[in-house]
Structure formats: structure tokens, C-alpha cells
Amino acid sequence: GLGEKDSLQKKSLKFQDSYTFLHIFMIYLLCSEDWGGFVLPYGSRNPKKECRWDMDIREDNGEGIDSWKEVTLIYNAALKQIETRMEILNEEFQHVHQYNPIEHIKARIKTPESIVKKLKRNGYESTIDNMVKHVNDIAGIRVICSFTSDIYRIADMISEQRDLQVLTVKDYITFPKTSGYKSYHMIITVPVYLSDRTVDAKVEIQIRTVAMDFWASLEHKIHYKLEGDAPEHIRSELVECAKMVTDLDARMLKLNEELLILSREREKE
């Protein structure tokens, strides 16, 4: 009857093998705004983003990591470790100095789309091996501080942890970008202990003040909305705003130092 025919048609729509389902699911992950719940983006995403079929990252046996599932496992484990270490340092600083240098922490795993674009931009094929070797910011932590002095204090505390290896440092606070961007960047490796081996996973740590983060967030949104082609007057205004941020950070730091001196003097009385 008609009911049996509809039932047969519905059954025919089901996937006949798990490979087909897995392939379509992977395409969905690559095209999705929210990559399986693992993505916490730093800034706004590009609303004009398009999904292309040539964006697949081929899986191969590189650096002991051979699948997307293992990539997310390892890099999320690395993020958890760094986040926990930052929280411990913040709590210890509060215990010893009655002061928290860290305002808050943001963490994210780079999206597949961004990874593929970065690989292509640098002339590499889209493979797991190239991704692990040549993309240093798959896992990213942003540490937001109150004052510029906190930035270098936190960077030193990270560097002193024996099982972390600092690969590169870029001090955009002492040497800002021409756009006005200021932040302190570190690429480090953190050991991730699995059941059968240890993997040294790379994590990018960005340390900046609240004011620097506010400026960077706005600049990021403008960059994506205008696809990197902002008018000259907007770029000039951003540079001027960056100078104001620098002045604000310096004045707030001076105020804080004066408050600390007054507090110590009153404690002696």
C-alpha cells in the first residue's frame, strides 16, 4: 500500500555505509561556524565565509598525530593545562601579594578554515602533518591583565616553568605594529601525557592589558568586516586610538603605583 511505499522511500534515504556518513559529517565540521563545540573564537567571524570542497585537510602520519579527532584531543588538553597553570599562578599571587594580575583568560582552538587558509598562504599543502609542524597557533590562550607591568611578570612566570619550552617571543608592546597593535606573544610547547606517549603541543600565549584587548577586538572586527581593506581615515583613527590606549595604560599604571606606596605607608603607621 501507500504507507509501505512511503516507508521504503524513507528507508532508502538512510546512509548505507558508515564511510558516507563520516565523510558528510567531516564536511559539516569544516563548514560549521561552531566546530563541534571546540571553537571559542577570539573575535568576530567573517559573515561572508564560504565553504569550499577543496578545504579538506588530508590525514597523514605526522608528529604522531594522524586524525582530526586526535588533534582536538591533544590541543584541547594543552589548553586546559595552560589555563589551569594561569589560574594557579593568579591564586598564588593573591595569596602572597593580595593582588590578582590576571583579569580573565580566553581560550580557543583555531578553526579548520583558518588553518587551511594559513597553510595555503604560506605555501603548504593542507595535511595534518603540515598543520602540526607549521601552524603554531592552533591552540591559543589570551591572558588579560590590568597593567603593563603585569604582562612581563606573567611572561617571566611562564618562562620559569621547567616543563614548558619557549620557542619564540614577539614583544609588540615595546615594538608595536604599524597599525598600532600592542600585545606580548609567546609560542610555547607543553607536554601532553597520553596513555602510550607524550606529545609536546604548541600553544600561542597572548598577554595584554584590558585597554589593549579592547582596541585589538575593535581592530579585528573592522579588519573582517572590511576584508582587510579599511579606508585610510579609519586606519589613521585606529593608530590615534592606539596612542590613547598607550597613554591610558601608562597613567593607570602610575596611579596604581602611587596607591601601592600610600598603602605601604599607612600599614607602617
Side-chain angles (χ1 to χ4, degrees):
L2 185 60
E4 292 178 348
K5 184 177 180 180
D6 288 342
S7 178
L8 288 172
Q9 287 177 340
K10 289 179 181 178
K11 288 181 180 178
S12 68
L13 293 175
K14 294 182 178 179
F15 294 110
Q16 298 301 314
D17 59 76
S18 59
Y19 176 80
T20 304
F21 173 77
L22 179 60
H23 180 73
I24 293 176
F25 182 61
M26 286 300 294
I27 294 297
Y28 163 76
L29 290 180
L30 288 170
C31 302
S32 174
E33 285 288 344
D34 181 6
W35 185 39
F38 289 109
V39 179
L40 296 173
Y42 279 153
S44 61
R45 300 290 305 283
N46 185 356
K48 297 182 179 180
K49 177 177 72 85
E50 296 178 357
C51 175
R52 296 188 176 91
W53 288 84
D54 64 351
M55 284 177 59
D56 294 292
I57 293 183
R58 293 204 308 275
E59 297 182 356
D60 52 20
N61 294 312
E63 299 292 318
I65 305 174
D66 57 11
S67 71
W68 270 111
K69 187 174 181 181
E70 194 165 9
V71 166
T72 57
L73 168 70
I74 290 171
Y75 284 97
N76 270 286
L79 282 181
K80 288 177 182 177
Q81 285 201 58
I82 299 300
E83 279 188 282
T84 301
R85 291 174 191 228
M86 293 297 98
E87 290 168 1
I88 291 171
L89 287 173
N90 207 34
E91 290 174 5
E92 187 259 349
F93 215 82
Q94 173 64 37
H95 175 71
V96 175
H97 303 286
Q98 290 74 53
Y99 169 67
N100 296 107
I102 299 174
E103 289 287 336
H104 58 273
I105 299 170
K106 301 177 184 177
R108 69 98 176 96
I109 296 290
K110 204 173 187 70
T111 64
E113 177 203 16
S114 297
I115 292 171
V116 170
K117 284 182 178 179
K118 192 162 192 176
L119 286 171
K120 288 184 176 180
R121 188 165 62 246
N122 294 324
Y124 297 109
E125 291 186 37
S126 301
T127 66
I128 294 289
D129 187 31
N130 284 338
M131 182 182 73
V132 173
K133 285 182 179 179
H134 303 296
V135 182
N136 294 328
D137 61 343
I138 294 174
I141 290 277
R142 182 171 297 157
V143 181
I144 311 302
C145 308
S146 298
F147 308 104
T148 50
S149 58
D150 296 330
I151 294 172
Y152 295 102
R153 184 179 292 117
I154 291 168
D156 288 341
M157 290 190 291
I158 292 170
S159 300
E160 289 169 2
Q161 298 201 7
R162 294 181 181 179
D163 59 342
L164 300 183
Q165 181 182 0
V166 179
L167 301 180
T168 62
V169 169
K170 293 182 179 178
D171 186 353
Y172 295 119
I173 296 171
T174 305
F175 306 100
K177 292 186 178 181
T178 54
S179 64
Y181 176 85
K182 298 183 75 173
S183 185
Y184 192 92
H185 292 195
M186 305 173 73
I187 303 294
I188 60 101
T189 61
V190 55
V192 176
Y193 297 98
L194 303 176
S195 60
D196 58 346
R197 68 191 189 283
T198 302
V199 178
D200 289 325
K202 286 181 284 188
V203 177
E204 181 188 53
I205 302 175
Q206 298 180 359
I207 316 172
R208 60 179 66 151
T209 65
V210 174
M212 291 175 193
D213 190 55
F214 174 65
W215 183 96
S217 296
L218 178 59
E219 191 269 346
H220 184 80
K221 290 175 183 176
I222 291 173
H223 177 82
Y224 273 89
K225 284 183 178 179
L226 300 179
E227 298 182 344
D229 190 26
E232 179 60 33
H233 73 278
I234 290 180
R235 292 200 296 269
S236 298
E237 189 67 21
L238 279 171
V239 171
E240 290 303 311
C241 288
K243 293 177 182 177
M244 293 169 64
V245 165
T246 300
D247 181 59
L248 176 63
D249 275 333
R251 294 173 69 176
M252 295 300 286
L253 177 61
K254 185 178 179 181
L255 279 172
N256 185 61
E257 289 172 344
E258 289 181 5
L259 285 172
L260 289 174
I261 292 172
L262 288 172
S263 178
R264 292 192 192 104
E265 289 176 351
R266 290 184 179 181
E267 285 177 0
K268 292 178 181 179
E269 293 177 357

